[in-house]
Amino acid sequence: MAESGPRHDDYFDEFTQQGRIAVWEALARFDETVNPDFLGFAYTTVETMLLGATRAERNQGVDDSAAKTFLSMLDRAGGDPFLAEKLCQTVPPAGRRLSADRAHAARLAYQGADSLDAPAPGSTEDEPWEPGTSTYGVPEDLITPDDVAREEARVKKALVHGVLDVMGEGQAHVLRGTFGIEPVPFYGNGADEELAADMGTTAKAVREARSKGLKAFGKRWIKATAQTPEEADELTAAMTARLTRKGAACPA
């Protein structure tokens, strides 16, 4: 338990009482002919109960599968729970994706654990799912380089849409129009007047939204894709160099 948060005292009292009950239940089940160490038996009993109670409180009714998928995407999202909610719906392979309602519930459960030790992003009892270890829809011995390439392209596309979905609506719309990302038609860099008319704004506002949007997208993209601090530094340097040149940089 973290010693902070508005409900720490409530959790402490509640779990202490549950621990006392678990000890009494351990007394009733203890068989010294099987295990002469009652203290060890009681400790394991209470620890198991507390782990289950903490998990139930943290997940707030969210099923374990959804919670594990969310934590994996939270890791992928660089700790951004809103981006993780979006990624849960698109990035995992078929059968592991969450519906919008389940992803939303998983995020609320995670953020609602104010006074519990929030799990480290990606930490679950089982190994978290990671892109690249999915099944590709075929038996492992039949996977080809084309299967891997298609899966990588699918995940990349899902990440692009996921990042855009959590950005400001104006900036996201301009970036979608600049690069022709669904559902906005392609405008490129040379049709700011037309894009502005489509959005009901000015060409100047479009250019400002593009400039700010590329930076915001780049920061989130680096968090979602960089595997090491060194790689993050390299991507940041590349993004900075690209954005200092005239013209828009491709977000992916």
Side-chain angles (χ1 to χ4, degrees):
M1 293 280 296
E3 295 182 6
S4 61
R7 288 198 58 196
H8 175 269
D9 291 341
D10 292 339
Y11 282 126
F12 184 86
D13 292 341
E14 177 183 344
F15 288 174
T16 298
Q17 182 61 26
Q18 291 187 43
R20 294 192 180 106
I21 294 173
V23 172
W24 282 107
E25 292 175 345
L27 279 170
R29 298 198 314 272
F30 180 66
D31 184 350
E32 63 180 1
T33 63
V34 177
N35 178 9
D37 181 13
F38 173 73
L39 289 180
F41 177 76
Y43 183 93
T44 300
T45 300
V46 174
E47 182 182 43
T48 302
M49 181 281 300
L50 288 175
L51 288 173
T54 301
R55 187 180 300 110
E57 189 66 38
R58 185 182 68 222
N59 291 349
Q60 295 291 319
V62 175
D63 60 276
D64 286 344
S65 177
K68 291 174 182 178
T69 297
F70 178 83
L71 288 175
S72 291
M73 292 301 98
L74 186 67
D75 188 23
R76 190 67 192 258
D80 183 338
F82 295 95
L83 178 54
E85 177 183 346
K86 294 294 183 180
L87 299 186
C88 283
Q89 303 170 51
T90 54
V91 172
R96 298 292 298 273
R97 297 170 203 157
L98 305 184
S99 66
D101 288 342
R102 287 180 75 203
H104 184 65
R107 176 177 66 78
L108 292 181
Y110 176 82
Q111 291 185 306
D114 291 326
S115 60
L116 294 176
D117 279 327
S123 62
T124 61
E125 291 181 358
D126 300 328
E127 285 297 319
W129 171 82
E130 290 290 347
T133 62
S134 55
T135 62
Y136 303 104
V138 297
E140 288 193 16
D141 58 342
L142 297 180
I143 293 174
T144 68
D146 286 343
D147 294 322
V148 176
R150 280 193 294 270
E151 176 66 5
E152 289 177 347
R154 185 194 68 77
V155 170
K156 185 176 183 180
K157 181 178 179 180
L159 284 171
V160 169
H161 282 279
V163 171
L164 288 171
D165 284 345
V166 297
M167 292 178 58
E169 183 177 351
Q171 292 179 6
H173 192 98
V174 169
L175 292 187
R176 287 190 173 100
T178 299
F179 302 104
I181 300 173
E182 296 177 350
V184 183
F186 176 70
Y187 289 92
N189 283 329
D192 289 350
E193 294 288 349
E194 290 84 347
L195 179 54
D198 177 45
M199 299 176 63
T201 186
T202 65
K204 180 181 178 181
V206 165
R207 289 190 290 272
E208 291 177 350
R210 181 183 294 117
S211 177
K212 294 178 180 179
L214 286 169
K215 294 177 182 178
F217 182 97
K219 290 179 180 178
R220 284 189 169 94
W221 181 261
I222 290 168
K223 281 188 176 181
T225 58
Q227 300 296 313
T228 64
E230 293 75 19
E231 184 180 0
D233 290 341
E234 291 178 3
L235 289 173
T236 300
M239 178 189 73
T240 301
R242 184 174 295 184
L243 293 180
T244 55
R245 298 196 296 267
K246 290 185 178 180
C250 178

